[in-house]
């Protein structure tokens, strides 16, 4: 069991409807030791791969992206999201359905911040249906950049996002993959 | 002129209506060297002050908060914002008017993540009217914690937020304070 799986078992809480709450260390309160270790683990797993930008989406991906960009000494770009967007003249735009908020979000990055020379490492705290990752990949492609890899802290293996990304040939690294979780017994089965 | 003032002059853009755009290094694309230096500068300016939590508000404060929390080796808590909130049973809540989006935001932090023992360093990328800072202070007070200080990267000195916080006795440190900026000549006057 790795450090993140152990932390999830210690501090995560399972709620009805396949919901895992880890906001005491990952996405509301942030455990800085865990965050640092996540960054080092991504750096190890993507060793040798070129990275010129770390890309994430606001808000909870920003802490991981910042720690990782600090190791690579490259800029972070965080995509913004919003229901309405005034103009796309100056931005790359894609869309991602939010299962939490039950509506389509526009996801966008200002054009100057991604370009055709960029080798982009996409990171996020969670991967479930892969909507956010898909939108970020789309944006990198619009900019003519290359997706070096995708790093997520926690993948919900029951949902299809990870499977689709792997099948599409992306180098996806998830530090903890949850294959089963049971609300009644508060148990979690991680993928080996 | 310090490192941040220099960077603002180099890379910031002034728009009509007293708008300063620094999203190429501070709050959309993040220059990791600047971010690191901001964190070290805050640590220096708050030297000797006790800090058990770094508190900010999503989204653009998270990168600075993460770098700073890494130096102090304490958790980050980032307040969330939203127009609607289902229940306040489990959260501390306050309100902040968004001049950008022209509506009142609810600002909230889950109760377990701030407590009466906490000595809280509040940080953010911008301070203008001080609405966000006021809401974060209110939340720390609700939790019974102590505000150790408030660190902001860029203060817009023309607006009243900083003045009010200093008059109220808070230890406010702003790395760059803009006293005047002129859209036509693209010039900025920093407070000495």
């Amino acid at each position: 069991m790795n450090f993140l799986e152990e932390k999830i078992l210690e501090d995560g809480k399972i709620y009805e409807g396949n919901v895992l709450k880890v906001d005491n260390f990952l996405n509301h309160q942030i455990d800085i030791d865990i965050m640092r270790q996540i960054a080092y683990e991504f750096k190890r797993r993507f060793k040798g791969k070129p990275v010129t930008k770390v890309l994430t989406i606001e808000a909870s991906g920003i802490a991981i992206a910042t720690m990782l960009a600090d190791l690579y000494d490259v800029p972070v770009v965080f995509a913004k999201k919003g229901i309405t967007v005034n103009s796309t003249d100056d931005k790359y735009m894609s869309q991602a359905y939010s299962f939490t908020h039950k509506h389509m979000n526009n996801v966008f990055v200002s054009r100057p911040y991604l370009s055709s020379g960029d080798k982009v490492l996409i990171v996020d705290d969670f991967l479930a249906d892969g909507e956010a990752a898909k939108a970020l990949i789309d944006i990198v492609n619009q900019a003519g950049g290359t997706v070096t890899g995708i790093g997520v802290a926690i993948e919900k293996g029951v949902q299809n996002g990870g499977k689709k990304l792997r099948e599409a040939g992306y180098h996806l690294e998830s530090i903890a993959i949850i294959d089963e979780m049971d609300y009644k017994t508060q148990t979690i089965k991680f993928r080996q």
Side-chain angles (χ1 to χ4, degrees), chain A residues 70-108:
Chain A
D70 190 41
L71 297 185
Y72 279 109
D73 204 10
V74 299
V76 175
V77 175
F78 64 88
K80 304 197 175 196
K81 55 191 177 192
I83 297 170
T84 54
V85 169
N86 298 331
S87 140
T88 58
D89 291 354
D90 55 347
K91 358 180 144 55
Y92 301 113
M93 205 182 83
S94 191
Q95 294 196 306
Y97 185 76
S98 165
F99 288 88
T100 315
H101 300 106
K102 294 185 180 53
H103 62 68
M104 195 63 95
N105 269 318
N106 290 308
V107 177
F108 52 93

Side-chain angles (χ1 to χ4, degrees), chain A residues 134-154:
Chain A
K134 211 175 60 182
L136 295 177
I137 291 168
D138 182 19
I139 283 171
V140 174
N141 288 338
Q142 286 177 43
T146 313
V147 175
T148 285
I150 302 157
V152 302
I154 303 175

Side-chain angles (χ1 to χ4, degrees), chain A residues 111-188:
Chain A
R111 284 177 188 264
Y113 308 145
L114 284 175
S115 65
S116 62
D118 275 322
K119 298 174 195 319
V120 181
L121 187 49
I122 293 171
V123 297
D124 211 349
D125 56 340
F126 262 99
L127 174 70
D129 296 279
E131 284 285 308
K134 211 175 60 182
L136 295 177
I137 291 168
D138 182 19
I139 283 171
V140 174
N141 288 338
Q142 286 177 43
T146 313
V147 175
T148 285
I150 302 157
V152 302
I154 303 175
E155 178 183 336
K156 290 169 99 175
V158 188
Q159 281 150 283
N160 266 329
K163 190 163 174 278
K164 279 189 218 158
L165 290 170
R166 288 186 186 92
E167 283 172 3
Y170 289 103
H171 180 180
L172 168 64
E173 291 285 350
S174 306
I175 301 179
I177 304 178
I178 294 172
D179 271 339
E180 283 174 41
M181 54 184 181
D182 186 339
Y183 160 65
K184 281 175 193 151
T185 57
Q186 289 284 312
T187 50
I188 294 178

